[in-house]
Amino acid sequence: MITIRLGQRARQRIAAEGVRADDIAIVPAAAGGPKGLILHGLDCWLFGDFLRAAPRRRRLVGASIGAWRMAASAFDDPVAAHKRLARLYAGQRYPNKVTASYVSQTCRALLDELLDGRAAEALNHPHHHVNVLTVRGIGALGRANGARWRETAGFLMAAANNAVSRQRLAASMERVIFHDARDDAAWLRDGFDAFAGQFVGLSTDNLRDALLASGSIPLVLEAVTGIAGAPDGAYWDGGLIDYHLHLPYQRDPGLVLYPHFNDYIVPGWLDKSMPWRRAKDAALDNMILVSPSPDFVATLPNRKLPDRKDFTVYGQDHAGRNRDWTRAIAESERMAEAFARWCEKPDLHQAQSF
């Protein structure tokens, strides 16, 4: 049903004390589009039950759909917000020939309905601090100025540089972290990789645009510009740099609880086809990662997780795609039940190491 991986420090803490909600300091949420729907059950249990019983400051950090999930988690009623997000995301409909402008308008409307005019509620949760990861174009991408051919050329150059080394991708983009205004995101400010970082406080004026930028896939959606309080420029999907959020988690003395759709961590979206770049370092020492097992995935429609290719595969059969995604969302509750049982009585022999 589920796969559990533990870092060494997390394993030692659990062996001594069990799995305690009080110990969870950070909850990451990966980019990955529709794949994130399979975490719906875990999200509802985690924020509606497990963590709610142990109030403490927690950093919720996400990119793309992960950022949308973390924003939903910070509402007063996180279960209702997650159900709203799942319904809205699965219900997306696009014509055969769709423009980036149309997709951006659709996602903007989705986020407006998700936030429901209550952005302040998500930003003022007494314990949960939301952090939204985005990418700002620099170099050739910074000079694209909305010209599609310039953007295409800039991203092709970025991909070529990344194929040589992840460090060279930093010539094309920088990480911009929209963080809870009550938290200066100090754990991310000291350099930990090649990417320059900008830090912008979240507010009711920029939350929607930051979330939209974090999910704006290049050439599929338009770049987001004019974000309140942020440096000028074009903002894109945070997953370009932080696909699975390989961040310096070891800097926090608490534990990291990471519901994820994979049982490994890929640093950037462009690294997906490079298994040698999967993270295996000290950043994972305090992590508990829970993901769907291969056997569970085989029970889902089409024997796979929902993914962005489904928009093409199903085409104009919106009802069929919605049906199958909704079934996967419902099946995700079994993952939550399995993980809840493990947390009550953790069997470390069932947990793999990174």
Side-chain angles (χ1 to χ4, degrees), residues 62-312:
S64 195
I65 192 175
W68 299 10
R69 289 170 46 223
M70 293 302 94
S73 301
F75 275 92
D76 292 345
D77 187 344
V79 173
H82 276 290
K83 288 182 177 179
R84 189 162 65 249
L85 174 58
R87 172 180 56 81
L88 291 168
Y89 200 100
Q92 293 178 83
R93 294 188 172 211
Y94 297 101
N96 272 327
K97 294 184 178 180
V98 64
T99 64
S101 175
Y102 186 99
V103 180
S104 289
Q105 290 172 11
T106 300
C107 290
R108 189 176 292 110
L110 185 159
L111 289 169
D112 282 339
E113 193 168 348
L114 172 64
L115 296 174
D116 193 29
R118 293 180 290 155
E121 184 179 310
L123 295 176
N124 291 293
H125 192 283
H127 311 298
H128 294 162
H129 293 186
V130 175
N131 298 267
V132 177
L133 300 178
T134 68
V135 159
R136 178 173 175 261
I138 57 177
L141 279 179
R143 297 187 294 271
N145 296 322
R148 190 175 180 86
W149 71 269
R150 289 183 183 272
E151 290 175 359
T152 301
F155 282 114
L156 287 173
M157 181 183 298
N161 283 333
N162 186 77
V164 176
S165 74
R166 179 165 159 82
Q167 288 72 20
R168 291 183 62 168
L169 185 63
S172 298
M173 54 190 70
E174 66 179 6
R175 179 186 287 116
V176 181
I177 300 165
F178 290 83
H179 60 90
D180 188 298
R182 301 163 297 178
D183 182 345
D184 67 358
W187 68 294
L188 294 173
R189 286 184 182 268
D190 289 339
F192 58 91
D193 60 14
F195 297 92
Q198 301 271 0
F199 293 81
V200 180
L202 280 170
S203 69
T204 55
D205 291 330
N206 65 21
L207 176 60
R208 194 276 308 271
D209 285 346
L211 291 172
L212 180 62
S214 189
S216 289
I217 303 166
L219 308 177
V220 177
L221 285 82
E222 296 177 319
V224 178
T225 60
I227 303 178
D232 289 340
Y235 287 76
W236 303 98
D237 196 315
L240 289 167
I241 293 177
D242 296 304
Y243 183 45
H244 291 175
L245 282 67
H246 183 208
L247 303 174
Y249 302 111
Q250 76 277 18
R251 293 176 178 175
D252 196 295
L255 297 184
V256 178
L257 179 51
Y258 192 171
H260 192 15
F261 49 80
N262 285 136
D263 67 346
Y264 54 84
I265 292 175
V266 173
W269 187 82
L270 292 168
D271 302 319
K272 290 190 298 181
S273 62
M274 305 176 190
W276 58 90
R277 291 194 184 174
R278 293 179 184 177
K280 296 180 180 178
D281 59 0
L284 313 184
D285 280 353
N286 56 336
M287 181 176 290
I288 305 166
L289 186 148
V290 55
S291 60
S293 70
D295 287 346
F296 171 75
V297 172
T299 69
L300 299 176
N302 305 312
R303 301 177 64 84
K304 69 175 188 62
L305 300 178
D307 64 49
R308 195 159 57 89
K309 293 179 182 176
D310 289 341
F311 285 113
T312 301

Side-chain angles (χ1 to χ4, degrees), residues 2 35-50 69 78-79 82-83 86 259 290 296 325-340:
I2 56 174
K35 294 184 181 72
L37 296 174
I38 204 60
L39 304 171
H40 173 77
L42 282 165
D43 287 339
C44 289
W45 171 77
L46 187 62
F47 292 100
D49 183 2
F50 185 63
R69 289 170 46 223
V79 173
H82 276 290
K83 288 182 177 179
V290 55
F296 171 75
W325 282 10
T326 300
R327 179 183 153 195
I329 292 166
E331 289 294 308
S332 72
E333 294 179 8
R334 295 196 290 136
M335 289 177 56
E337 293 166 359
F339 187 56

